[in-house]
Amino acid sequence: MLELPMKNIRLLLILILSVVSMTAVRSFAQNNSLKIDDSCYPSYRQADSLVGTDSFPALIQEFENKAISVDDKKAQVLVYVLKLRDAKATGPDEKVDKYYEDLKEVAKRLDYLQYYFFAYHLRAIYYYNHGFQAKAYRISEEMLDEAVAMDNEYGRWFSARNIADLYMDSYKLSRAKEYLLKAVEIYEN
């Protein structure tokens, strides 16, 4: 007689645990704002949290392996975004320049052009923060030229906004206004 209720209790516990775990997985997947494969997201978050630390290389390799194994193109691009962010945090310039080129190549090849332009942004910010403002402006102007050549509306908007931000940080407000108006014009069209 005791065995039957115990079986029912076990089944009930299994059912409850199944529902709880499915709810947790579903809610975790809903927090995947990057819309990459859910199996890649935990690796991405872990690598992202360790950008600029000694633990980063092992975790980025794990994330890259996962992104390739599930053939998630966006996750593969994000690997290079994180590598460039890590280089930006740790230097040296050559490492930043290498991952900048790598991110542009991968983003273009896999057709995630927003990250192609983001590579310019990260590189410009790196040089700006290291006292090379003129180089940061040149990089941002190159981004705008590339966006115009590619006839990429997002790239034109993002580069104009990026240049405006650099001018605002330098307290060159009239120049910032020029690029902000350009960004607004692009956005409205």
Side-chain angles (χ1 to χ4, degrees):
M1 244 6 208
L2 283 175
E3 210 171 297
L4 184 61
M6 195 57 128
K7 268 188 175 177
N8 288 341
I9 290 172
R10 279 189 210 148
L11 288 174
L12 183 60
L13 284 174
I14 290 171
L15 180 63
I16 290 171
L17 288 174
S18 297
V19 169
V20 168
S21 66
M22 285 178 12
T23 304
V25 167
R26 196 174 310 122
S27 69
F28 184 73
Q30 289 172 349
N31 291 330
N32 182 350
S33 60
L34 296 171
K35 296 183 175 42
I36 59 176
D37 188 279
D38 288 334
S39 66
C40 292
Y41 193 66
S43 297
Y44 168 82
R45 285 184 44 122
Q46 196 171 22
D48 180 51
S49 71
L50 294 170
V51 163
T53 69
D54 292 339
S55 302
F56 178 77
L59 288 166
I60 196 63
Q61 189 61 55
E62 178 185 321
F63 175 44
E64 185 171 19
N65 292 342
K66 187 64 162 170
I68 291 168
S69 74
V70 298
D71 197 30
D72 186 324
K73 305 294 186 215
K74 186 174 185 180
Q76 291 174 42
V77 172
L78 288 171
V79 166
Y80 288 90
V81 169
L82 292 177
K83 286 180 178 183
L84 180 52
R85 285 185 47 227
D86 181 68
K88 186 175 158 263
T90 60
D93 298 355
E94 295 78 18
K95 188 175 171 186
V96 171
D97 293 340
K98 178 202 180 321
Y99 286 121
Y100 156 78
E101 291 296 340
D102 289 351
L103 174 54
K104 282 184 14 180
E105 186 275 319
V106 170
K108 196 170 190 177
R109 181 170 41 83
L110 297 178
D111 201 29
Y112 280 94
L113 293 181
Q114 67 271 34
Y115 296 108
Y116 178 87
F117 295 107
F118 191 59
Y120 281 97
H121 168 74
L122 289 176
R123 185 172 179 236
I125 297 302
Y126 170 81
Y127 282 107
Y128 186 88
N129 289 340
H130 285 83
F132 298 100
Q133 285 80 10
K135 187 169 185 167
Y137 289 118
R138 277 195 309 276
I139 292 165
S140 297
E141 289 288 347
E142 286 173 23
M143 176 179 17
L144 180 57
D145 292 345
E146 187 71 16
V148 169
M150 293 170 75
D151 194 27
N152 186 288
E153 185 177 26
Y154 173 80
R156 289 193 332 265
W157 169 81
F158 188 64
S159 56
R161 196 204 69 174
N162 190 62
I163 295 168
D165 286 345
L166 292 174
Y167 280 124
M168 285 174 56
D169 283 348
S170 299
Y171 299 101
K172 297 176 182 174
L173 300 181
S174 62
R175 294 287 291 165
K177 179 182 175 185
E178 174 188 334
Y179 283 96
L180 281 173
L181 290 174
K182 188 181 284 192
V184 169
E185 179 184 322
I186 292 165
Y187 180 77
E188 287 179 339
N189 291 331

